[in-house]
Amino acid sequence: MNEELLNYIRSNPLQSSKEIYNGLGNAYSYATIKRALSKLAGDNLILIEGQGKGTKYRLSPSYELLIDIDIEEYFKQEQDERQVKDIFNLSLIPEVLTGAQLFTAKEEQQLEALQRKFKDNVAHLSKAAYGKEM
């Protein structure tokens, strides 16, 4: 369902949760849509604009970094039909990458645990042995 929601928001940016609910053909309950939107916002895949009844949703710029691309499907299209960006997004590094969450909280915990384990493993090595290992 999340993929369906993201595809809908990509095609129909800045719509309210009610508009999204109606646009998906009432395939899911309104409460389910609201929960999914909250989860997607928490995962930094969509952005929330406005408040209350004026709340609208759009894709997060960092989502573009994480979106799956079906390469096989892309190359099946004729060259002129392929959707290609014709300019480089110069704000990508200073604006998007600095605020993008590339890892979930669980993944960050795993990485920190691995880093602590590495530090413990190399703490007893001499400088020469450490240099040789690296």
Side-chain angles (χ1 to χ4, degrees):
M1 180 184 110
N2 285 347
E3 200 60 41
E4 190 176 351
L5 252 177
L6 289 167
N7 287 333
Y8 182 82
I9 294 170
R10 182 184 308 128
S11 301
N12 306 282
L14 295 175
Q15 288 201 345
S16 69
S17 56
K18 197 65 154 170
E19 291 169 323
I20 294 169
Y21 169 72
N22 292 330
L24 291 174
N26 305 332
Y28 306 97
S29 73
Y30 182 63
T32 301
I33 297 288
K34 291 289 283 183
R35 275 193 302 275
L37 289 170
S38 292
K39 170 107 175 67
L40 291 172
D43 291 342
N44 200 28
L45 297 176
I46 61 172
L47 297 176
I48 300 172
E49 295 187 8
Q51 294 179 343
K53 291 185 183 248
T55 302
K56 307 281 185 188
Y57 300 89
R58 68 178 177 93
L59 292 180
S60 164
S62 62
Y63 176 71
E64 299 235 3
L65 298 174
L66 305 172
I67 190 170
D68 289 334
I69 299 172
D70 185 346
I71 295 294
E72 298 293 326
E73 197 61 37
Y74 176 80
F75 284 109
K76 282 181 185 175
Q77 297 174 352
E78 290 294 324
Q79 194 169 11
D80 293 337
E81 294 173 359
R82 296 177 190 159
Q83 191 175 21
V84 179
K85 294 190 180 202
D86 56 352
I87 59 170
F88 182 76
N89 183 356
L90 296 175
S91 68
L92 184 68
I93 294 172
E95 294 176 17
V96 177
L97 286 179
T98 55
Q101 290 183 299
L102 300 179
F103 302 105
T104 65
K106 184 177 178 181
E107 291 170 333
E108 285 182 3
Q109 289 172 350
Q110 289 174 324
L111 287 170
E112 287 170 7
L114 289 170
Q115 187 175 22
R116 281 192 300 276
K117 185 177 179 181
F118 171 78
K119 286 181 179 180
D120 291 344
N121 288 342
V122 299
H124 70 281
L125 296 176
S126 68
K127 189 173 184 179
Y130 178 79
K132 187 176 180 182
E133 287 296 319
M134 290 294 132

